[in-house]
Amino acid sequence: MAKELHHIDKWGFANVDFGEEILEKNQKALILIAGASSSGKSYGAVFLKQMLEKMGHKACIISLDQYNGGLSRIIPNKVNLNYFNSSIKDMGRIYCKIKPIIENVDFSSKYDETRLSLIKDALKDDFNESDLDKFITGLGIEWSKLNFDEPSVYDLKEASRDIKDLLKGKTIEEKLYSKVVSERIKSNSIINGNECSFIIVEGIYALNDELLDELKGIEIVKNFIDGNPKSLFLRRLIRDMGSTSASTSFTAKLYFSSIMDSYRQTILPSRSKADLVLDNDMSFAELRSGNLYLSKNLYPINSKEGLKRLEDNSLLLERSFQKDFYIVCENEKQEENNILRFRETSFDEGKTYKPASLVHKGAPKWRKDNKIIRPVNVLLDENCIQDVWKDEESCLYDFLTNGFMINRIEIKIKTRIIYKGYNITLFEAKDRNNNLEIGDDIPASILEEVLNYVR
């Protein structure tokens, strides 16, 4: 039975202990780290490597992400499997023709109509007419169903060969995959097995049966890293925002349409094979990351009559209704420092609402002046959220069927006014304190006038 740990330092020491036990009988120890997408496998591998090196061991890291075949291989391979029963033998030539056509274009355009037309022209000598039409049609269909978290995306046999070579003390070329172009790229680095006593391999399929079968007979420390649904979702979206060319709306759609299914069907079952399991929810350091946002100054509204007078003496810019859903998961900690909010907006006084944003707010900085500087990640804004969810029902269905819960729902009225040339925002919410939001640029004399209305 796996030993379950909740602190990364304890998890690290447990791996060291098991690895040193293997070294009593072998020249090298192999550590595999599997787990959910965005659970912290790469971070865990680096943490463990640093711990081992502090203890006098030499370690190297192999990331199975780098064995991703790239979109010029993944999509054609799916077509070969699903439309031709893997009967196309010379796939290498096809990869070489497709790669330059799709490599340096935007992610969303990799297999669009323009690219498919170019691919069809490039492959006209490789197929008869009917098979070529079937192949091109298949590319478009498989592109629409792309799932980076399927085992077929990764060349696990190639990875196993490299791992076994390192265990024998041989030198391998370090593989390199670019998330920017979604392709393998040339690497100029090597890894020398003679320089490592610990070989750490991390990836979502590090405990996949195909890889384990290839490594049969080798003593292994087997790990699985997991996290709660909210941590996994946020890490995936925030990570992909900065490291891939795919849009956040694409990642969000993919997450609920296929990534979670892959996790449940092909990744989570490998947890039972692990010697050690680390439950790795978002750390406080992660909750402090993001684009720092300096909040406007908030002042309580204590007089509704005064608020009405303030509005009468101001220019109305806009009034909207907001419906905010605060999304959590079971047994979540630090909810106020880890806010995931889905917002809908209405401009017809709450009669109809449309999705407006999905935002994550992390832990604020501590300040003596009581201003709030909070990390904010706008995951989906009003320009793209409806590419993911057209309405409230579809959004809530995705969250509620994937391990999330609704902590609370708030209805707010947001009114933007101009008073003597200065922007002021009024927030009114049922069963909560009402506030004015005022910028730092307002002169003290004007601020005092405004506050006198609402005191």
Side-chain angles (χ1 to χ4, degrees):
M1 181 178 292
K3 184 177 182 63
E4 296 206 14
L5 301 160
H6 300 275
H7 300 284
I8 195 167
D9 54 345
K10 291 183 180 180
W11 172 81
F13 277 111
N15 271 280
V16 172
D17 292 344
F18 284 1
E20 288 180 337
E21 182 181 351
I22 291 174
L23 289 181
E24 292 173 6
K25 298 173 285 181
N26 301 273
Q27 288 187 329
K28 301 184 190 301
L30 175 60
I31 296 176
L32 303 182
I33 305 174
S37 175
S38 305
S39 59
K41 300 178 297 299
S42 300
Y43 177 82
V46 172
F47 179 90
L48 182 55
K49 181 177 185 289
Q50 293 172 343
M51 176 179 280
L52 286 164
E53 291 177 346
K54 286 179 181 177
M55 295 179 174
H57 297 290
K58 291 186 177 180
C60 65
I61 296 173
I62 299 291
S63 171
L64 293 182
D65 283 356
Q66 307 309 317
Y67 291 82
N68 187 315
L71 290 176
S72 61
R73 289 173 177 257
I74 296 169
I75 304 302
N77 280 342
K78 295 287 283 187
V79 174
N80 189 22
L81 173 65
N82 295 333
Y83 295 77
F84 293 86
N85 296 313
S86 298
S87 62
I88 304 173
K89 300 305 179 185
D90 193 4
M91 290 299 293
R93 185 171 69 225
I94 292 174
Y95 304 150
C96 290
K97 290 184 177 181
I98 292 177
K99 186 173 181 178
I101 295 173
I102 70 170
E103 186 171 20
N104 293 310
V105 299
D106 290 341
F107 186 86
S108 61
S109 303
K110 297 287 188 182
Y111 285 93
D112 65 7
E113 291 299 322
T114 301
R115 242 51 57 180
L116 289 175
S117 178
L118 294 171
I119 292 169
K120 185 175 183 178
D121 186 60
L123 299 181
K124 62 186 178 184
D125 295 330
D126 296 275
F127 295 90
N128 62 47
E129 187 175 346
S130 62
D131 281 350
L132 180 58
D133 287 340
K134 183 165 71 170
F135 190 83
I136 297 301
T137 299
L139 290 177
I141 293 172
E142 293 300 329
W143 171 244
S144 71
K145 300 188 294 185
L146 172 67
N147 179 5
F148 276 120
D149 285 8
E150 287 184 346
S152 61
V153 167
Y154 306 95
D155 193 335
L156 297 179
K157 289 188 181 297
E158 182 184 19
S160 69
R161 290 194 296 269
D162 281 353
I163 293 166
K164 287 187 280 191
D165 281 346
L166 289 173
L167 289 169
K168 294 174 185 176
K170 296 181 179 180
T171 296
I172 67 165
E173 178 187 345
E174 186 175 13
K175 306 303 181 288
L176 193 57
Y177 170 81
S178 168
K179 290 183 178 180
V180 175
V181 296
S182 300
E183 295 290 349
R184 288 268 193 103
I185 58 176
K186 179 66 178 174
S187 168
N188 296 315
S189 300
I190 61 169
I191 303 175
N192 188 342
N194 278 329
E195 296 177 353
C196 310
S197 55
F198 278 81
I199 298 166
I200 303 168
V201 180
E202 62 87 9
I204 57 177
Y205 290 114
L207 296 182
N208 181 268
D209 284 338
E210 181 183 353
L211 185 64
L212 292 179
D213 287 346
E214 294 288 336
L215 300 174
K216 193 172 291 184
I218 298 170
E219 284 195 79
I220 302 170
V221 184
K222 298 188 286 291
N223 290 271
F224 191 93
I225 300 183
D226 214 343
N228 67 46
K230 187 170 169 182
S231 294
L232 300 179
F233 175 72
L234 288 171
R235 283 196 185 113
R236 180 62 180 256
L237 261 67
I238 293 169
R239 180 197 73 186
D240 284 9
M241 285 169 65
S243 64
T244 76
S245 59
S247 67
T248 312
S249 59
F250 175 87
T251 303
K253 282 193 290 187
L254 196 67
Y255 193 87
F256 290 115
S257 66
S258 58
I259 292 173
M260 284 303 297
D261 283 343
S262 292
Y263 167 67
R264 286 187 287 262
Q265 295 169 15
T266 61
I267 299 173
L268 187 58
S270 66
R271 180 178 173 131
S272 63
K273 304 169 191 173
D275 304 306
L276 301 168
V277 173
L278 173 64
D279 286 316
N280 187 38
D281 296 334
M282 290 187 80
S283 66
F284 193 79
E286 288 178 285
L287 295 176
R288 288 288 294 267
S289 66
N291 297 317
L292 290 181
Y293 167 79
L294 180 61
S295 77
K296 301 288 182 68
N297 301 298
L298 295 178
Y299 300 93
I301 299 172
N302 296 317
S303 170
K304 288 187 177 181
E305 294 79 8
L307 177 60
K308 179 65 169 56
R309 291 197 304 273
L310 174 61
E311 291 187 57
D312 290 341
N313 285 287
S314 303
L315 174 64
L316 175 65
L317 290 180
E318 180 184 79
R319 177 173 283 118
S320 63
F321 282 64
Q322 297 174 342
K323 188 191 296 186
D324 290 346
F325 296 83
Y326 291 87
I327 300 167
V328 299
C329 59
E330 190 174 0
N331 300 320
E332 181 179 340
K333 298 178 181 178
Q334 298 182 314
E335 193 270 328
E336 288 303 318
N337 290 331
N338 185 10
I339 296 170
L340 179 59
R341 186 203 68 210
F342 166 61
R343 170 170 288 172
E344 294 186 295
T345 302
S346 169
F347 292 97
D348 58 6
E349 298 186 343
K351 294 175 184 176
T352 58
Y353 284 90
K354 290 186 177 180
S357 65
L358 183 70
V359 170
H360 175 248
K361 297 183 180 182
K365 288 188 174 184
W366 287 288
R367 290 177 64 94
K368 291 184 177 180
D369 62 7
N370 294 319
K371 286 186 180 178
I372 300 174
I373 301 180
R374 185 190 290 272
V376 172
N377 289 290
V378 179
L379 306 174
L380 297 166
D381 62 20
E382 61 185 3
N383 296 315
C384 67
I385 191 167
Q386 292 186 45
D387 292 337
V388 184
W389 301 297
K390 297 297 184 186
D391 50 40
E392 173 184 314
E393 289 76 15
S394 58
C395 175
L396 297 186
Y397 176 85
D398 278 345
F399 281 109
L400 296 177
T401 56
N402 284 284
F404 295 83
M405 300 181 297
I406 303 302
N407 175 268
R408 68 181 188 273
I409 303 171
E410 290 183 356
I411 305 292
K412 302 173 183 175
I413 302 174
K414 177 182 177 182
T415 304
R416 294 174 55 224
I417 61 174
I418 293 180
Y419 180 78
K420 294 189 176 180
Y422 294 94
N423 286 297
I424 298 172
T425 304
L426 322 175
F427 286 102
E428 302 170 78
K430 185 178 180 181
D431 301 325
R432 298 208 56 185
N433 292 332
N434 299 326
N435 294 288
L436 300 179
E437 186 177 88
I438 303 175
D440 288 328
D441 60 337
I442 191 170
S445 59
I446 304 296
L447 175 61
E448 187 64 21
E449 286 184 27
V450 171
L451 295 182
N452 280 335
Y453 280 105
V454 297
R455 282 177 177 149

